[in-house]
Structure formats: structure tokens, C-alpha cells
Amino acid sequence: MGGAKKTTTATKDKSAGTKDSKKSKKDKGEGGPRKAEITVKVNEQQAMKIIQGSKVITIQDLARQTGVKISAANKFLKESAIKGTVKKVGGYSGHHLYQAVSS
């Protein structure tokens, strides 16, 4: 019933042109300027004041109140838990609850 179509010279020329354009697109992206790495750190004094002022805090709350990304707030809370200044008191699936350690 259905078989392979016969290619005409016009379609051969078109397909040859598309192969060349694919190669040129790859070449354009390789030599571009590199993006600068941006590091954002949480102001520790401000963050600890926020943590101590609340019963419990989530990563998302800390990020919103300090004005940093969630990843930066997550890193800060994990490091603080290792140091012993805060402790994880609950949560699940990335939505953990942290509390300041009472001295």
C-alpha cells in the first residue's frame, strides 16, 4: 500500500541546507561569554533574630523574611543545625520545621 516516496532534486537540496544550518547553530553557542557566578549569603544576625522571634520557622519563611533564595536559606538552616544553634523539630518532604535551641 504505502511505500517510500521518491525524493526529487528540490527536496534533496532542502535537506542538504538544513544539515548545514544545524551545524552553524552549534558553533554560535560554544564561543559565547560565560555567566558570572553569584553567591548570596544570609545575614546571620538578622536570620537568628527572625528564628528566635518565632516558635518554629520553615525554609520558605526564612527565605521570604531575609530576602534570599530558598536554596540559600536551606543551606543556612542546615549549617546552623550542624553547629547546634537550631534544631529540626518536624516536617516532611523538604518542608522541615526548625526551632532555635534554647540556652
Side-chain angles (χ1 to χ4, degrees), residues 32-50:
R34 295 193 181 258
K35 292 183 180 180
E37 290 186 27
I38 300 171
T39 57
V40 178
K41 294 186 179 180
V42 178
N43 185 353
E44 291 183 27
Q45 294 168 344
Q46 178 188 10
M48 287 308 297
K49 188 183 291 185
I50 292 168

Side-chain angles (χ1 to χ4, degrees), residues 8-19:
T8 62
T9 56
T11 56
K12 287 180 182 177
D13 292 340
K14 287 181 184 177
S15 64
T18 57
K19 290 179 183 175

Side-chain angles (χ1 to χ4, degrees), residues 11-76:
T11 56
K12 287 180 182 177
D13 292 340
K14 287 181 184 177
S15 64
T18 57
K19 290 179 183 175
D20 293 336
S21 65
K22 288 180 183 176
K23 290 180 182 176
S24 64
K25 287 181 183 177
K26 284 184 180 178
D27 293 340
K28 288 181 183 177
E30 291 176 2
R34 295 193 181 258
K35 292 183 180 180
E37 290 186 27
I38 300 171
T39 57
V40 178
K41 294 186 179 180
V42 178
N43 185 353
E44 291 183 27
Q45 294 168 344
Q46 178 188 10
M48 287 308 297
K49 188 183 291 185
I50 292 168
I51 293 169
Q52 290 172 350
S54 60
K55 289 184 180 179
V56 294
I57 193 159
T58 63
I59 298 164
Q60 291 80 7
D61 286 338
L62 184 64
R64 187 175 351 109
Q65 291 180 15
T66 55
V68 298
K69 291 186 177 184
I70 292 174
S71 59
N74 186 27
K75 184 176 179 182
F76 173 77

